[in-house]
Amino acid sequence: MRVLRSALRGLIIIPIVAGCSDDPEPLEPVNEPPVVRILQPAGGAAFVPGAVVDIVWEATDPDGDPVTVNLDFVADFQPGVTAIATALPASGSHRWTTPTTTLFGVRVRATATDAGGLQGVAASAGPSAIVAHSERGYVTSLTCRGCHTTNYNAVRNSGHPYKINKVVNARAPTYPAFVPPPPGTPAGFTWSTVSYVIGGYGYKTRFMDLEGYIITNGFNKVNAQYNMPRPDLSLSVANGSWGSYEGGDPKRKPYTCGGCHTTGWQTFAENGGRNQDGLRGILGTWEEPGVSCEACHGPGVKHVATQKKADIDIDRNAESCGSCHFRDTNHRILASGGFIRHHEQYDEMIAAGHAEQSCTGCHDPHIGTRYGNDSRGGIKVTCVSCHATKTKNAHLVPIACESCHMPFAARTAVSQQTYAADIRSHIIKVNPDPVDRSAMFYTEDGVTYARGFLTLDFACWGCHRNPDTGIGGTVSPRSLAELSFKAKNIHTKP
């Protein structure tokens, strides 16, 4: 005992009291939300309305809890969330029938919920689209309107969409309200016996019969071309009139003009020998009549699906416009009847040394220039934007640059007089020597071409007149010698 007391001396005895331990209580495990992924559809896909799409997903829970999955989708310009399916297993697939309406920026979403009520959400990798489109990826301009309303409306007020226009329910095609419609059909035809109208905006109108052949004077023995009213020109052509088209050719004229008059044109060689609408006179098919958005920008389905600027063609080079605004593959300027032929602006620019200029540098390609559209933004810059030193000239009264440098030296439908037709030339360059159009035109292998300059009879006799013949405009007579003297000093004297 004496030894035990000695061993215990100096020790501190702490009594143990129930419920007063300082040891921490064991922690409950932390519940983590589930993780979910959308495997299909991937971003950038395009589905036609009403298509059946497989949605594939997988979800896991870090805690091993059971998981259920709900599917839905969101879309641009559509408020809220639209349910697809609910109470699905953690991983699997679901066959989704897409809506029957056009939708942009569609993202499929999966929401996984565990037993504790925690959720994980995932969306498809990128936007997709629900949109009608052809096998070649064309969506038509009505789809483009969904996002690009301003440009769509501008194009619809220009002449491009009306290069060919279908007759529906035996009624005349419609044009913008400011365009005077054709007064009717060629003699012997009615709207029930015409399938398509070619043109009808600004210059001239032609017609196609129920088999798709172009109505001509030579075959049908009627005045087949309606020349539009041109109050912007001289009084002699201010009113509309019927005129001849292909009067010397007795054969039926098939329609082969779709390369520049339609969107997505394919020839027989390209489409396997199919005719548009089954009309044997139309030697090919198109995706959309007239020149619409995809004629210049290419098939739009990928861009609509991904919403990426890189997935649509934006070609501002002159060659893009020149793919239609030309006639000769060597870019010589074709001429006939004493004038340059129409839609050769690209050839003219090349011949005159302006090939480096971009058409869109001066023009807004969506707006056009007829019916006042030039002043509404169709013409983006004036000549003095580049030629500031040429603003003064020695002309007696102020005149616009285009009066001399872009005279009406080209013809599509009518002539005002011997030295002025109905389309402004884009040659720009004026030869100031005292020579007439005989120096401008030349013949090669029986074909007439124009050189890369305008002569003074075109530049000046549209307003002045030839003193020897009295032919030309209505103001003072001036000889070529007088005009040459003035022209050589026109920009050097105030």
Side-chain angles (χ1 to χ4, degrees), residues 173-187:
T174 58
Y175 298 86
F178 49 78
V179 178
T185 56

Side-chain angles (χ1 to χ4, degrees), residues 136-141 143-144 148 151 263 292-316 366:
R136 299 166 61 207
Y138 286 83
V139 297
T140 78
S141 57
T143 299
C144 303
H148 304 283
N151 283 343
T263 300
S292 64
C293 309
E294 292 167 293
C296 300
H297 292 291
V301 69
K302 187 175 181 181
H303 169 67
V304 168
T306 67
Q307 300 186 346
K308 293 180 179 178
K309 189 175 182 179
D311 288 333
I312 197 71
D313 291 339
I314 302 177
D315 188 353
R316 294 184 175 89
H366 301 107

Side-chain angles (χ1 to χ4, degrees), residues 4 44 200 208 215 227 231 288 307 312 319 322 329 335 376 397 421 444 456:
L4 179 59
M208 297 163 65
I215 299 170
N227 300 317
E288 187 174 3
Q307 300 186 346
I312 197 71
E319 290 88 344
T329 55
R376 299 187 191 104
V397 296
E444 186 176 289
L456 292 176

Side-chain angles (χ1 to χ4, degrees), residues 43 119 123 140 163 182 217 222 241 245 345 350 357 379 406 459:
Q119 293 184 330
T140 78
K163 296 302 179 185
N217 286 64
V222 297
S241 61
Y245 172 63
Q345 291 89 343
I350 289 176
Q357 299 295 322
I379 302 296
M406 300 184 70

Side-chain angles (χ1 to χ4, degrees), residues 90-149:
S91 297
S93 64
H94 175 77
R95 306 210 81 185
W96 172 45
T97 300
T98 65
T100 56
T101 55
T102 298
L103 295 173
F104 308 110
V106 176
R107 292 181 184 268
V108 174
R109 306 190 315 167
T111 301
T113 306
D114 66 12
L118 296 182
Q119 293 184 330
V121 181
S124 49
S128 295
I130 299 172
V131 59
H133 57 279
S134 70
E135 292 182 0
R136 299 166 61 207
Y138 286 83
V139 297
T140 78
S141 57
L142 287 177
T143 299
C144 303
R145 180 180 63 177
C147 293
H148 304 283
T149 306

